[in-house]
Amino acid sequence: MELTANHDEKKKIKSLASFFEVVGTGRTQYITWFLGFLVGYADYTELLFISVVIPYLRCHWNLSETFEASISFCVFGSYAICSLLLGNISDKYGRKKIMIINTLILLLASVSTVIFDNKWVFLLCRVLTGGSVGANRSIITPYTVELTPDKVRSRGPIFISLGSNIALLSVNLQGLLFLNLVGWRWYIVVLILPRFLVLALLFYVTESPRFLLVSQKMDKLRSCLQTIMTRNKIPTEEFEISMESIDSNTRLGSISDALSPMYRRSVLSLACYYFANTEVDFGLVMFLPLMFTSNFCGTGDAAPTHSCETLQASDFSKLMLSNGMDMLALLTAFILMRTGRLWILRVGAFGICVAIIGFYFCVNETFTLAAALIAKYLQTTANSVLWVTTSEILPTTIRSTATGLINCSGKIGGMIGAGSVYLLFYESPKGLVSLFLGIQIIGFISSIVFNVETKRMVTVDVAKRDP
């Protein structure tokens, strides 16, 4: 820790690492983690409620299969593009400012969805909300890491993943309680209420100190650091923040280092891994409600038929069972990360491949649900570890951009997974499973590539690369 002090002098803080070691874990970190939790919640709420609402809208607006698929393609496409584009912009103009703008757009589009009873307005609003939550998800992960001491750096991504998993449960639980009683519009109203709290917290939290340092906004940086100390109840009169030393001692990672072949291969392998995992994740999320509202009898020769049935209480109970597996997976990831990261990614990808192969032998709904639960459990465990690993290896200078790239690839996978379900479920269930398996094999290969690239970095001290 880079602190110096004499008996009659204030202790000098000479780097951001030493600053966060001094302030420790306090109100700033708790609020930041809670904000990450809410952003993760808003992210998956927006992407997953479509799977629950589509059975209602199908008959309400007489939707075709093509239009149902276009909703998923547009939402995930907007999410992917904005993850990459606005992640890059936030690296240049600030994390907090871009998240506030995104959240305002998200609220406007969400309210418009409730007011206007039109499928084209619904589609447009879904594009806007998809882009907003995608951008915020790309920004919030590096933001929580940059406001957290090194020794608890993984907690931010864990809280974001927790929010996403709670969203899975919330979408289905609130669907069970409200959807059949008050209709899909009021169901959306209930889901968007936490987003107003996100906006309020964004006005309260500080900008990322590391972003301010990279941007050389030293006056704002000093004010930001003093605010963090005050909120964490650290006596500011005992410490002196040496801005010149912080500027020279804090290694943020240069652009040339960040764009080296080693980093490029690592980021691209993680992007491919997340692409494969998310394709299976959202494919299964869209698959299960269709399975429950059709005469699905496994992946045999008889294809399921269309239905205007809506999800019943028993169906929501089964969906919440899959949510319980997600929560168990998050707990598993939190425990197993103490033993390493790379082996979890490899085993997770291989296990998902095995679970998907099991779909070929499913002869009824029960066996299919069991295979889906196993795949979801492994996928959630692996993705939770992935985000912690991403936060640990990426330099500050490209952290949001690279996170945006990984998010972008993931949501392209989600777009393919969700859209292919609506296009292939009624025509060729086995073809759909084959698509899942082929893409997941790509994920397994990517985990091996990432393992090789990470071993090449083992001689480099992570703390020196990016404190």
Side-chain angles (χ1 to χ4, degrees):
M1 183 168 105
E2 298 182 63
L3 289 175
T4 60
N6 294 324
H7 293 292
D8 299 326
E9 295 180 354
K10 295 182 179 180
K11 299 176 183 177
K12 288 188 177 182
I13 299 175
K14 294 187 175 182
S15 72
L16 285 182
S18 62
F19 171 80
F20 281 109
E21 191 172 340
V22 168
V23 299
T25 303
R27 182 190 298 177
T28 298
Q29 285 69 40
Y30 297 142
I31 292 177
T32 303
W33 294 338
F34 183 55
L35 175 62
F37 170 87
L38 290 176
V39 171
Y41 178 90
D43 175 14
Y44 265 52
T45 297
E46 181 57 39
L47 296 175
L48 297 176
F49 95 96
I50 297 174
S51 66
V52 176
V53 169
I54 283 294
Y56 293 80
L57 299 183
R58 180 184 302 124
C59 299
H60 180 66
W61 286 327
N62 193 27
L63 300 180
S64 65
E65 291 177 32
T66 304
F67 195 89
E68 290 178 22
S70 69
I71 293 175
S72 294
F73 277 119
C74 289
V75 170
F76 284 98
S78 173
Y79 190 116
I81 294 171
C82 291
S83 292
L84 181 58
L85 179 63
L86 295 180
N88 185 35
I89 291 175
S90 73
D91 275 334
K92 297 179 180 178
Y93 299 103
R95 321 282 198 229
K96 177 179 175 179
K97 183 187 304 182
I98 302 301
M99 284 197 290
I100 289 176
I101 295 173
N102 290 335
T103 304
L104 288 172
I105 295 174
L106 175 62
L107 289 172
L108 176 63
S110 299
V111 172
S112 299
T113 302
V114 176
I115 296 175
F116 299 102
D117 187 3
N118 181 280
K119 66 179 182 180
W120 296 105
V121 173
F122 181 87
L123 179 60
L124 175 61
C125 291
R126 298 279 61 77
V127 170
L128 293 174
T129 53
S132 298
V133 297
N136 276 358
R137 179 60 184 266
S138 295
I139 298 168
I140 193 64
T141 301
Y143 178 79
T144 57
V145 169
E146 291 166 1
L147 280 164
T148 306
D150 290 350
K151 60 184 178 181
V152 291
R153 176 182 272 184
S154 65
R155 292 188 185 177
I158 287 291
F159 272 94
I160 297 171
S161 297
L162 177 61
S164 299
N165 291 327
I166 292 294
L168 290 167
L169 177 63
S170 174
V171 166
N172 294 316
L173 180 59
Q174 292 179 39
L176 172 64
L177 297 176
F178 299 109
L179 198 52
N180 289 324
L181 295 177
V182 297
W184 64 272
R185 287 188 177 185
W186 284 104
Y187 170 63
I188 294 176
V189 170
V190 174
L191 289 179
I192 65 176
L193 289 178
R195 300 173 189 177
F196 290 95
L197 182 55
V198 171
L199 184 63
L201 287 178
L202 283 172
F203 280 104
Y204 176 79
V205 298
T206 67
E207 181 54 270
S208 163
R210 283 182 168 85
F211 163 76
L212 295 175
L213 180 56
V214 169
S215 305
Q216 288 296 296
K217 299 178 180 180
M218 305 308 288
D219 291 338
K220 291 185 178 180
L221 175 60
R222 178 184 291 277
S223 175
C224 173
L225 297 180
Q226 291 176 341
T227 300
I228 292 173
M229 293 184 74
T230 301
R231 289 177 179 175
N232 282 26
K233 297 183 179 180
I234 302 298
T236 55
E237 65 276 3
E238 295 182 9
F239 298 92
E240 178 183 346
I241 302 173
S242 176
M243 304 306 295
E244 295 78 9
S245 298
I246 284 181
D247 192 10
S248 60
N249 290 340
T250 302
R251 178 168 170 74
L252 299 165
S254 67
I255 289 291
S256 59
D257 288 341
L259 297 180
S260 67
M262 179 178 64
Y263 273 108
R264 286 203 303 267
R265 287 191 294 266
S266 296
V267 171
L268 289 176
S269 60
L270 283 176
C272 290
Y273 187 90
Y274 192 53
F275 165 84
N277 269 18
T278 309
E279 191 271 345
V280 173
D281 181 18
F282 284 97
L284 292 176
V285 165
M286 303 300 172
F287 176 88
L288 292 177
L290 290 182
M291 181 177 74
F292 296 147
T293 56
S294 68
N295 62 332
F296 182 82
C297 297
T299 55
D301 296 330
T305 57
H306 296 269
S307 171
C308 265
E309 292 183 24
T310 56
L311 292 168
Q312 303 302 312
S314 60
D315 300 327
F316 280 114
S317 299
K318 295 172 185 175
L319 290 174
M320 285 188 282
L321 178 61
S322 71
N323 305 149
M325 294 296 287
D326 286 326
M327 298 299 294
L328 179 61
L330 186 62
L331 178 61
T332 302
F334 186 74
I335 295 173
L336 292 182
M337 274 191 293
R338 301 170 185 270
T339 65
R341 313 276 196 262
L342 302 181
W343 75 269
I344 301 176
L345 298 178
R346 294 196 306 275
V347 171
F350 179 77
I352 295 170
C353 289
V354 174
I356 294 174
I357 291 174
F359 275 82
Y360 288 110
F361 305 99
C362 293
V363 295
N364 55 38
E365 180 183 295
T366 302
F367 282 104
T368 307
L369 178 61
L373 291 178
I374 294 172
K376 283 281 292 173
Y377 170 78
L378 294 169
Q379 176 271 325
T380 302
T381 302
N383 275 2
S384 300
V385 174
L386 178 144
W387 285 118
V388 174
T389 306
T390 300
S391 300
E392 291 173 339
I393 69 168
L394 296 177
T396 301
T397 46
I398 62 160
R399 191 169 276 157
S400 284
T401 302
T403 304
L405 173 63
I406 296 171
N407 240 329
C408 174
S409 67
K411 293 315 175 280
I412 291 175
M415 176 176 64
I416 294 173
S420 62
V421 167
Y422 289 116
L423 292 175
L424 297 177
F425 178 78
Y426 295 108
E427 304 296 333
S428 176
K430 278 190 175 179
L432 180 62
V433 173
S434 298
L435 176 64
F436 287 168
L437 179 59
I439 291 180
Q440 190 56 43
I441 290 174
I442 295 175
F444 178 62
I445 295 173
S446 299
S447 69
I448 297 175
V449 174
F450 180 69
N451 181 73
V452 172
E453 293 302 322
T454 304
K455 286 184 176 179
R456 291 178 180 176
M457 293 189 281
V458 75
T459 56
V460 182
D461 186 355
V462 173
K464 291 180 180 179
R465 285 191 283 112
D466 185 16

